[in-house]
Amino acid sequence: MLATILLLEYIEMSVGGSHILLVHIPLGVALFATVVATLPMVMKAAPVAAEPALTEEPAFGEEVAS
């Protein structure tokens, strides 16, 4: 999928540089829509790690009663 988008981006730049707007504009819109459609796959939330167990260690500056 990424290789296809990269190839189409190269074609998009070449066609745009040649001022062939009949191809450049629809291809640009299609590429934008494709990239937006793939965002949910890329931006998937990472699983949250379990919280470490709380220990009975004193806080910084707190005195320990013996």
Side-chain angles (χ1 to χ4, degrees):
M1 180 71 154
L2 180 61
T4 304
I5 292 174
L6 186 62
L7 176 66
L8 289 175
E9 281 290 338
Y10 178 75
I11 294 170
E12 167 74 8
M13 289 187 299
S14 300
V15 171
S18 300
H19 302 288
I20 305 173
L21 297 180
L22 188 62
V23 177
H24 176 70
I25 293 173
L27 184 57
V29 170
L31 278 168
F32 181 78
T34 303
V35 170
V36 168
T38 58
L39 277 177
M41 290 188 298
V42 176
M43 300 299 289
K44 219 184 298 185
V48 179
E51 299 229 357
L54 296 175
T55 59
E56 295 297 324
E57 295 179 16
F60 180 74
E62 185 177 304
E63 293 188 22
V64 179
S66 299

